[in-house]
Amino acid sequence: MGIQISPSLLACDFAHLAEEAARVSNADWLHVDVMDNHFVPNLTLGLPIVEALGKASSTPMDCHLMIEDPDRWAPAYVEAGAGSVTFHVEAAAAPVRLARELRAKGARAGMGLKPATPIEPYEDLLPELDMLLVMTVEPGFGGQAFLDMCLPKIRRTRELIDKHGLDLWLQVDGGVSLETIERCAEAGADVFVAGSAVYKADDPNAMIEDLRASAAATL
């Protein structure tokens, strides 16, 4: 599979979403942060915007749901056009059932962990997933500093994935930049969400390539 870069639209100009998506045309995914002001203290965008964005861009959407009751809402994001949907295990009532439903609808099923949530209790769930997201900042706001304390958890997660021989992507989200991506890749991550680093760059597409090269150099 190799290294994948998923620019976070949270850092873009929301008034021009279609144009902002076009500025990262060589991205592997568009990372769409959905926040409900309940699970996290911020409110962003929801289903109608995701559906419209899917029609405006050919880049597949990676929807990260930072919302309460994902068991109810997550499947609708597949119907809205998302190719990958990540729910938070801290909010899901039945994560296995939800992951299976997302897969049955044709999307990749992802499960997210906050920085303080350990991976070990969920080892048996890993075969039900297509991606595991380790948050490297507290979810809710972009532009936060990378939390180095999450690196050991990334390593432990990669060890568990390898232990079970799974084709499971390991994503990191939060504070990813040219200064931090190599550490994440060395720890075992292979899918990288980058918001400010990409959208604040003079040339977002060039930054995506620089991030990809920096991560690939650790392989």
Side-chain angles (χ1 to χ4, degrees):
M1 179 210 60
I3 300 299
Q4 298 188 74
I5 305 296
S6 184
S8 173
L9 293 175
L10 188 64
C12 81
D13 180 356
F14 275 16
H16 303 92
L17 270 178
E19 293 89 340
E20 293 289 79
R23 292 177 65 208
V24 292
S25 58
N26 61 348
D28 298 287
W29 296 87
L30 291 176
H31 190 81
V32 184
D33 290 300
V34 178
M35 306 183 194
D36 64 357
N37 204 31
H38 294 284
F39 181 69
V40 293
N42 195 5
L43 183 66
T44 55
L45 44 80
L47 281 166
I49 303 300
V50 170
E51 187 172 8
L53 184 60
K55 295 175 181 177
S57 174
S58 60
T59 305
M61 288 183 293
D62 166 28
C63 286
H64 177 194
L65 307 185
M66 289 166 274
I67 62 174
E68 291 184 349
D69 201 7
D71 303 75
R72 175 185 179 187
W73 296 110
Y77 283 87
V78 184
E79 296 166 7
S84 176
V85 177
T86 297
F87 60 89
H88 268 268
V89 72
E90 302 91 350
V96 172
R97 183 176 64 198
L98 178 55
R100 289 180 177 180
E101 185 174 0
L102 294 172
R103 283 175 151 183
K105 287 183 174 293
R108 297 183 64 86
M111 188 175 79
L113 305 177
K114 291 182 177 182
T117 302
I119 181 58
E120 286 78 9
Y122 306 106
E123 179 178 354
D124 292 342
L125 274 68
L126 296 181
E128 303 288 342
L129 304 170
D130 298 295
M131 185 167 72
L132 196 292
L133 164 59
V134 174
M135 291 296 298
T136 44
V137 298
E138 291 295 338
F141 295 92
Q144 298 181 62
F146 179 83
L147 295 174
D148 285 278
M149 58 163 278
C150 298
L151 288 169
K153 182 164 72 173
I154 297 170
R155 291 191 185 93
R156 294 195 303 272
T157 303
R158 173 52 63 190
E159 289 169 0
L160 290 176
I161 292 170
D162 292 345
K163 170 185 172 183
H164 293 281
L166 300 173
D167 182 18
L168 179 63
W169 298 354
L170 179 49
Q171 184 181 66
V172 292
D173 179 3
V176 174
S177 67
L178 287 175
E179 288 69 43
T180 60
I181 195 168
E182 288 186 12
R183 278 177 279 164
C184 295
E186 287 170 350
D190 48 23
V191 184
F192 303 89
V193 178
S196 300
V198 171
Y199 274 106
K200 290 185 178 179
D202 292 335
D203 185 338
N205 272 328
M207 176 56 71
I208 289 170
E209 292 307 318
D210 288 345
L211 289 167
R212 187 179 283 119
S214 293
T218 67
L219 300 180

